[in-house]
Amino acid sequence: MTLEKGFEPHLAIGETTVTGRDIEMLRAIDRFGSMHEAANELGRSYPHLQRRVVELEEAIGQLTERVRGGEGGGGTQLTPDALGLIRQFERLRVELSGVTTVPESVISGTVTERSGELATVRTAAGEMTARVPTRAEDVEIAVRADAVVLIEPRSPAHDRTSIRNQIPGVVTGVAIDDAIATVTVEIDDGVMIESVVTEESVDRLGITEGTDVVAAFKTTAARAITADP
Amino acid sequence: MTLEKGFEPHLAIGETTVTGRDIEMLRAIDRFGSMHEAANELGRSYPHLQRRVVELEEAIGQLTERVRGGEGGGGTQLTPDALGLIRQFERLRVELSGVTTVPESVISGTVTERSGELATVRTAAGEMTARVPTRAEDVEIAVRADAVVLIEPRSPAHDRTSIRNQIPGVVTGVAIDDAIATVTVEIDDGVMIESVVTEESVDRLGITEGTDVVAAFKTTAARAITADP
DNA sequence: CGGCGTTGTATCGACATAGATACACCGTCG
DNA sequence: CGACGGTGTATCTATGTCGATACAACGCCG
């Protein structure tokens, strides 16, 4: 039984929310220069589509230049704001899909010290700092693999960065697919951290199975959730 | 006009998808030990709620122990699988909400070279590498602020890490809230990158307005979308 | 000046969703 | 043995969504 992670993005302003359907609609309007043809293409009714455009504009501001009559009967062009809206939505979708496609490492531990939203967590692989939104004792720290940096050991001056969690380990696996490598680092017996890096970085740092590396990640990229409820 | 980023998470298996409403329902059943009281609490009709439980179980497997008659008239208890499902859903929600709560930086540029899913992008602030899923020419690179590392300039050996994008800039703003700082770095005239770091890092690196820093992020954490729809 | 293909608007009907109601079934408890 | 409070199920109805239809308004074009 494997459940597939999914999501539906939206952008909200006041009562109205811009959905994927709206973006699809705006893109069709842009493609055809006509709400009528857009409605046809999408298999939607023109009256509702037109109504929706007005509704969005009432909430967000001008999104279209609609002309009635004239050459070709008229038409509808998107404003730069509308194009920006489409891009913003697409960025949101891409970033969210990053969550569902990038692997995540989970490390359990217990909170030893708190400071605001941050906390120090004692784990099998040593102490780490993470964001701990809820008041919790036993936690699981989750780190996205694309937030994990691999550092060559014995290279100096790594307190000169904002990366506070730097955990030495040994590479136990390297899987390369289409110029992107997923590197598994064992930071304690049976405790793994995954990192996705470019194939170029793997080559440059000479990473293969058995290599000593430091797996590093920012405190703000590590999120803890309570382990129990 | 600021649009608030949002999303609706779900878990899919075959035709049926588990929504936030389903999770809310399961949690209410767990709280009361009774589907009837759960329906009351949520203001939902018992028949549909009961039907939905059966539907979910047909897709996922046993989620409840439902007994009819007996002490207190019977009742419904969640199985460990159901509790695991709730946790899985909650974790997905937390991961996704990371995207909507952390600021993103957007940098436009044009693709100059491709290698698999990766590409080199020329921007006003120099060349960067990013994930570019679609075949695109003009792109926008989006980077999450919690993936941006701040590095002290003139510190050596930063080719000894898997961070390929290292862009010098000047700090133009530091906003501290609850031990977490949002640092704005100007990497070119009017082009900003935001980074969220701990207050501790801000102090340690001596970051204030006007400080020279290097804003760095991994290629795999930078995602590009087409600028033209 | 009429035709054409748009935008704008009112209205109807099909359909899905979800609450409301009613009732059979079940097993313990007083 | 009947009351009680739960599960299981059929059915009706209110509601909202969305496509379908119809028609007015508009302005270029032949």
Side-chain angles (χ1 to χ4, degrees):
Chain A
M1 177 199 85
T2 34
L3 293 166
E4 204 168 329
K5 293 187 263 186
F7 59 87
E8 198 61 44
H10 62 81
L11 294 169
I13 179 165
E15 291 302 291
T16 57
T17 69
V18 183
T19 69
R21 200 160 183 258
D22 293 323
I23 298 302
E24 184 188 39
M25 173 183 76
L26 290 179
R27 247 203 288 260
I29 293 173
D30 186 51
R31 204 159 52 244
F32 292 106
S34 144
M35 295 196 290
H36 218 90
E37 284 192 68
N40 267 357
E41 169 79 4
L42 300 176
R44 297 178 55 176
S45 80
Y46 172 80
H48 283 137
L49 186 143
Q50 189 268 351
R51 193 85 203 124
R52 181 60 180 165
V53 168
V54 173
E55 214 171 295
L56 289 179
E57 290 194 319
E58 277 167 1
I60 301 176
Q62 193 174 7
L63 295 173
T64 59
E65 298 268 7
R66 311 197 291 283
V67 320
R68 169 150 86 161
E71 186 177 1
T76 301
Q77 299 297 323
L78 297 192
T79 64
D81 276 5
L83 296 173
L85 181 64
I86 293 175
R87 286 203 302 276
Q88 184 182 355
F89 193 90
E90 226 44 59
R91 285 198 305 272
L92 174 60
R93 179 179 288 166
V94 166
E95 287 173 33
L96 287 171
S97 76
V99 171
T100 58
T101 55
V102 170
E104 207 182 28
S105 305
V106 180
I107 307 157
S108 343
T110 60
V111 172
T112 60
E113 200 185 327
R114 289 193 68 106
S115 155
E117 206 188 323
L118 305 179
T120 307
V121 179
R122 192 201 321 279
T123 76
E127 293 207 328
M128 306 178 192
T129 55
R131 296 181 81 147
V132 187
T134 59
R135 179 155 294 145
E137 185 81 6
D138 292 328
V139 294
E140 285 181 338
I141 298 177
V143 193
R144 296 173 45 150
D146 60 4
V148 176
V149 177
L150 299 182
I151 306 178
E152 201 169 78
R154 293 175 306 277
S155 70
H158 286 302
D159 61 332
R160 303 286 82 198
T161 78
S162 60
I163 307 183
R164 291 175 62 186
N165 295 303
Q166 304 194 16
I167 302 147
V170 180
V171 173
T172 61
V174 180
I176 294 178
D177 175 37
D178 199 20
I180 293 178
T182 305
V183 179
T184 308
V185 180
E186 186 170 31
I187 55 174
D188 194 69
D189 291 346
V191 182
M192 307 293 183
I193 283 191
E194 282 187 299
S195 173
V196 293
V197 298
T198 62
E199 189 177 7
E200 194 267 356
S201 285
V202 167
D203 294 343
R204 180 161 41 82
L205 300 176
I207 288 173
T208 54
E209 261 188 63
T211 310
D212 286 341
V213 291
V214 173
F217 53 90
K218 292 175 60 177
T219 297
T220 50
R223 282 165 186 281
I225 56 176
T226 57
D228 331 275
Chain B
M1 177 200 83
T2 34
L3 293 165
E4 205 168 329
K5 294 185 267 187
F7 60 88
E8 198 60 46
H10 61 81
L11 295 168
I13 180 166
E15 291 302 290
T16 57
T17 70
V18 183
T19 68
R21 199 159 185 260
D22 294 323
I23 298 302
E24 183 189 39
M25 173 183 76
L26 290 178
R27 246 203 288 260
I29 292 173
D30 186 49
R31 201 158 55 242
F32 292 106
S34 145
M35 294 195 290
H36 218 91
E37 285 191 67
N40 266 358
E41 169 78 3
L42 300 176
R44 297 179 54 176
S45 80
Y46 173 80
H48 282 136
L49 185 143
Q50 189 268 354
R51 193 85 202 124
R52 181 59 181 167
V53 168
V54 172
E55 214 171 295
L56 288 179
E57 291 194 320
E58 277 168 1
I60 301 176
Q62 193 174 5
L63 295 174
T64 59
E65 299 268 7
R66 311 197 291 283
V67 320
R68 169 150 86 160
E71 184 177 2
T76 300
Q77 299 296 323
L78 296 192
T79 64
D81 276 4
L83 295 173
L85 180 65
I86 293 174
R87 279 205 305 278
Q88 187 181 350
F89 193 91
E90 227 42 60
R91 180 173 319 177
L92 173 61
R93 182 178 304 192
V94 168
E95 291 171 26
L96 289 171
S97 74
V99 171
T100 57
T101 54
V102 171
E104 64 170 357
S105 304
V106 182
I107 306 157
S108 10
T110 60
V111 172
T112 60
E113 200 185 327
R114 288 192 70 105
S115 154
E117 207 188 323
L118 304 179
T120 308
V121 180
R122 191 200 322 278
T123 76
E127 292 206 328
M128 305 177 191
T129 56
R131 295 181 81 148
V132 187
T134 59
R135 179 154 296 143
E137 185 81 5
D138 292 328
V139 294
E140 282 184 336
I141 300 176
V143 193
R144 293 171 49 151
D146 61 3
V148 176
V149 178
L150 298 182
I151 306 177
E152 201 168 79
R154 294 175 304 277
S155 71
H158 285 302
D159 61 333
R160 304 287 81 198
T161 77
S162 60
I163 308 181
R164 291 174 63 186
N165 295 303
Q166 305 194 16
I167 302 146
V170 181
V171 173
T172 62
V174 179
I176 294 178
D177 175 37
D178 199 18
I180 292 178
T182 304
V183 179
T184 307
V185 180
E186 186 169 32
I187 56 174
D188 194 68
D189 290 344
V191 182
M192 307 292 184
I193 283 190
E194 283 187 297
S195 173
V196 293
V197 299
T198 62
E199 188 176 8
E200 195 268 353
S201 286
V202 166
D203 294 343
R204 180 162 40 83
L205 299 176
I207 288 172
T208 54
E209 260 188 64
T211 310
D212 286 340
V213 292
V214 174
F217 53 89
K218 292 175 59 178
T219 297
T220 51
R223 299 188 123 80
I225 61 159
T226 57
D228 24 48

